[in-house]
């Protein structure tokens, strides 16, 4: 089942032509409207008109997350603010988030691509989509929401958390499709089981899970426990949000929506493009976005692309599961966390040292974060009451900056192992 057969099954040669045409108009747009891109291209001595074939893209410089931070909040927008109808944001490497904007057309395009994605999971107007992605600055909730409405399905905008209510509404409203992170889906499944719920008797038929890495093992568990077909969906706010790529019924990788996004795989060390089949860092260029076009954005996600023909009839290339990142970003309960965010908080606190260790684990299918923090020598012998108060303040500050709660364990000075090379800041015990 296709949402947009013409584009989804477009002959690859024609698709390349469309991409080139759209790439050139995007380059024109950013060159004329975003000083950052004009400067970057001028420095390389290239103008949009120099890009004559798809191969020429190699000449255009990359964009990285730091560039977004340097231009915080709206410096990379290519339209005046009165054309921007919405913004979203995701966590940056320190306190400031990465901000993205959308025009009316962008929102419409995104809803269309999400409608395309949900259709790939079998969604139609007859479905009840329980959307348990978080609503807010995170793109998951609203991204799925608008796509589900465009399909004409009934959306239940329950957002994340509130597990008892999720299970109650799932039964009462006869939800047929669940959308949330895979780890939360597993948590829901087990809580449901504990409450004696038989998912096989519910009308639930599919799950659209993403925003964090998961595995085939998790897919099998989710499909068995929830009695559904579980689909992988990928996206990132810098490029749009959910719906940059999505699995089809063949479940052999996610089709990247190439009529809107140009994908490359590069060697993360040298920046050189790699051929299909080789593992490297995924790089995206948006081809149709108006408010926040993005050029050769380094996602830091490691994967493999393939252009092998897919049985579903779609011609768009597929990406395999994301197997890792080239930076230290963690995804904890669906929230992107950089260890450096914790470090900058600790530097604000006089009583602690910027020596810390993030211990991530999965308890009963939910991610658990414990942060070990060293107390400064001069405070160590201080009253227990004061230290407790410091721990409490730290916990609150971390919750407000990171957007997730953590257990804080204050430890004695010089007890966190020092490293001679790169400091070891994270112990990730999760098995996915
Ligand atoms: O996570 C958008 C999204 C929402 C995707 C809902 C899917 C469903 P960000 O918060 O900007 O956006 O985080 C983007 O999350 O670079 C990947 O590292 C990771 N990620 C997203 N989807 C997947 C997936 C949303 N299916 C970052 N598998 C990306 C593995 C994923 N990692």
């Amino acid at each position: 089942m296709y949402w947009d057969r013409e584009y989804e099954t477009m002959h690859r040669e024609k698709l390349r032509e469309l991409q080139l045409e759209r790439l050139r108009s995007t380059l024109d747009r950013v060159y004329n409207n975003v000083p950052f891109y004009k400067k970057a291209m001028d420095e390389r001595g290239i103008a949009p008109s120099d890009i004559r074939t798809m191969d020429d893209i190699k000449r255009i410089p990359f964009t990285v997350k730091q560039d977004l931070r340097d231009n915080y909040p709206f410096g990379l927008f290519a339209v005046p603010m009165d054309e921007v109808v919405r913004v979203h944001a995701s966590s940056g490497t320190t306190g400031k988030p990465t901000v993205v904007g959308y025009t009316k057309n962008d929102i419409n395009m995104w809803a269309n691509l999400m409608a395309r994605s949900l259709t790939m999971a079998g969604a139609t107007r007859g479905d009840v989509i329980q959307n348990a992605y978080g609503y807010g600055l995170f793109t998951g909730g609203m991204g799925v929401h608008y796509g589900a409405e465009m399909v004409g399905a009934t959306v239940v905008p329950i957002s994340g958390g509130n597990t008892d209510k999720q299970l109650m509404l799932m039964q009462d409203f006869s939800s047929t499709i669940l959308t949330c992170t895979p780890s939360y889906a597993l948590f829901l499944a087990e809580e449901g089981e504990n409450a004696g719920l038989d998912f096989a008797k519910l009308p639930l038929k599919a799950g659209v899970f993403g925003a964090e890495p998961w595995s085939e093992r998790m897919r099998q568990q989710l499909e068995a426990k929830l009695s559904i077909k579980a689909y992988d969906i990928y996206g990132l706010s810098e490029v749009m949000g959910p719906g940059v790529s999505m699995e089809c019924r063949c479940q052999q990788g996610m089709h990247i929506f190439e009529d809107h996004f140009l994908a490359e795989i590069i060697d993360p060390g040298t920046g050189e493009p790699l051929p299909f089949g080789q593992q490297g860092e995924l790089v995206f260029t948006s081809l149709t976005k108006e408010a926040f076009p993005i050029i050769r954005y380094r996602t830091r996600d490691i994967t493999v692309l393939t252009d092998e023909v897919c049985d579903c009839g779609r011609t768009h290339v597929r990406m395999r599961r994301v197997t890792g990142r080239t930076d230290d970003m963690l995804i904890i309960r669906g929230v992107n966390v950089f260890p450096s965010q914790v470090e900058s908080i600790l530097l604000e606190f006089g009583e602690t040292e910027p020596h810390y260790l993030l211990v991530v684990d999965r308890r009963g299918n939910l991610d658990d974060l414990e942060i070990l923090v060293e107390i400064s020598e001069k405070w160590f012998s201080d009253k227990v009451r004061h230290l407790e108060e410091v721990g409490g303040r730290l916990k609150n500050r971390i919750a407000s900056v990171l957007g997730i709660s953590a257990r804080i364990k204050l430890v004695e000075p010089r007890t966190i192992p020092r490293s001679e090379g790169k400091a070891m800041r994270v112990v990730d015990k999760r098995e996915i």
Side-chain angles (χ1 to χ4, degrees):
M1 208 170 20
Y2 303 110
W3 174 254
D4 198 345
R5 178 190 292 269
E6 181 190 347
Y7 286 98
E8 290 175 67
T9 62
M10 193 175 249
H11 197 281
R12 284 205 69 76
E13 217 163 281
K14 213 167 148 212
L15 185 62
R16 291 305 263 183
E17 278 168 26
L18 178 76
Q19 285 188 315
L20 182 61
E21 180 194 314
R22 291 182 164 180
L23 172 66
R24 292 179 59 151
S25 96
T26 297
L27 290 173
D28 268 335
R29 169 181 285 273
V30 297
Y31 191 81
N32 294 318
N33 297 293
V34 187
F36 164 80
Y37 286 115
K38 179 172 190 318
K39 182 163 173 272
M41 286 166 73
D42 284 347
E43 276 170 9
R44 293 271 182 114
I46 43 168
S49 55
D50 294 332
I51 305 303
R52 294 200 186 86
T53 68
M54 289 305 273
D55 227 28
D56 290 333
I57 188 147
K58 279 188 280 193
R59 300 172 57 195
I60 303 171
F62 294 115
T63 307
V64 295
K65 201 161 187 124
Q66 181 65 34
D67 297 323
L68 273 64
R69 283 187 55 212
D70 292 347
N71 291 283
Y72 176 84
F74 307 139
L76 294 183
F77 288 12
V79 297
M81 282 309 279
D82 65 358
E83 287 182 38
V84 174
V85 298
R86 198 195 301 166
V87 293
H88 279 287
S90 73
S91 34
T93 44
T94 57
K96 297 282 188 198
T98 305
V99 184
V100 297
Y102 307 78
T103 62
K104 269 211 167 100
N105 285 338
D106 291 335
I107 294 288
N108 194 44
M109 181 273 276
W110 185 13
N112 247 299
L113 291 184
M114 268 314 306
R116 191 189 279 187
S117 306
L118 292 167
T119 304
M120 287 165 87
T124 64
R125 334 173 25 101
D127 281 295
V128 176
I129 302 184
Q130 181 160 341
N131 185 17
Y133 283 114
Y135 281 68
L137 286 175
F138 174 56
T139 51
M142 294 183 80
V144 170
H145 184 102
Y146 278 69
E149 283 191 353
M150 186 160 280
V151 167
T154 308
V155 199
V156 183
I158 186 163
S159 198
N162 230 331
T163 305
D164 289 344
K165 200 167 182 180
Q166 299 270 2
L167 293 170
M168 180 179 84
L169 298 191
M170 185 180 283
Q171 299 169 75
D172 296 350
F173 294 179
S174 300
S175 305
T176 53
I177 298 180
L178 173 67
T179 57
C180 61
T181 59
S183 56
Y184 189 59
L186 206 51
F187 183 72
L188 273 178
E190 307 227 313
E191 290 296 293
E193 260 173 33
N194 292 342
L197 193 65
D198 182 0
F199 287 98
K201 295 217 173 90
L202 296 183
L204 199 69
K205 63 175 188 193
V208 178
F209 305 133
E212 66 184 11
W214 52 308
S215 58
E216 280 308 305
R217 193 181 74 96
M218 261 179 96
R219 182 191 331 255
Q220 283 159 14
Q221 283 185 330
L222 285 166
E223 294 194 332
K225 283 181 190 294
L226 290 169
S227 180
I228 57 169
K229 226 174 135 144
Y231 297 89
D232 199 356
I233 183 166
Y234 170 90
L236 62 165
S237 42
E238 296 91 319
V239 175
M240 178 177 78
V244 172
S245 67
M246 169 78 193
E247 265 181 348
C248 61
R249 61 173 165 79
C250 304
Q251 296 181 310
Q252 294 283 331
M254 296 174 273
H255 289 282
I256 296 176
F257 299 145
E258 290 184 283
D259 44 342
H260 295 275
F261 310 107
L262 184 66
E264 298 171 81
I265 289 283
I266 60 159
D267 175 327
T270 64
E272 280 304 307
L274 296 173
F276 287 125
Q278 279 199 34
Q279 177 169 294
E281 180 180 342
L282 190 55
V283 170
F284 280 111
T285 300
S286 69
L287 298 174
T288 50
K289 287 207 308 175
E290 295 179 344
F292 191 83
I294 190 129
I295 310 295
R296 297 198 89 199
Y297 183 66
R298 293 186 61 158
T299 63
R300 304 283 170 194
D301 290 322
I302 301 289
T303 186
V304 178
L305 295 186
T306 172
D307 65 344
E308 279 166 27
V309 176
C310 184
D311 285 343
C312 76
R314 289 180 183 81
T315 50
H316 297 182
V317 298
R318 280 168 293 158
M319 59 185 268
R320 297 226 180 290
R321 285 186 183 285
V322 173
T323 49
R325 294 198 39 103
T326 64
D327 62 10
D328 54 1
M329 186 179 93
L330 294 159
I331 305 182
I332 304 175
R333 273 172 256 144
V335 177
N336 302 351
V337 172
F338 291 91
S340 53
Q341 289 175 289
V342 174
E343 185 162 327
S344 55
I345 295 171
L346 293 179
L347 289 167
E348 298 167 7
F349 276 72
E351 296 94 340
T352 56
E353 292 290 322
H355 292 296
Y356 61 96
L357 189 65
L358 273 60
V359 184
V360 199
D361 207 346
R362 214 156 250 184
R363 296 192 170 197
N365 287 313
L366 271 195
D367 292 339
D368 173 77
L369 171 63
E370 182 177 56
I371 306 178
L372 276 57
V373 179
E374 275 184 22
I375 293 287
S376 296
E377 195 91 52
K378 88 171 200 277
W379 290 98
F380 181 60
S381 51
D382 209 56
K383 290 194 198 71
V384 175
R385 272 245 309 276
H386 178 225
L387 292 184
E388 275 174 2
E389 185 265 325
V390 173
R393 256 194 299 138
L394 199 53
K395 189 178 165 70
N396 290 340
R397 184 86 184 107
I398 283 180
S400 84
V401 173
L402 263 49
I404 52 164
S405 64
R407 288 179 297 119
I408 309 290
K409 189 168 168 191
L410 297 174
V411 299
E412 291 181 25
R414 291 184 309 279
T415 48
I416 293 176
R418 304 293 193 259
S419 151
E420 289 179 0
K422 203 169 144 61
M424 228 256 296
R425 302 293 197 199
V426 178
V427 178
D428 197 338
K429 300 181 181 163
R430 290 175 295 187
E431 265 179 36
I432 61 166

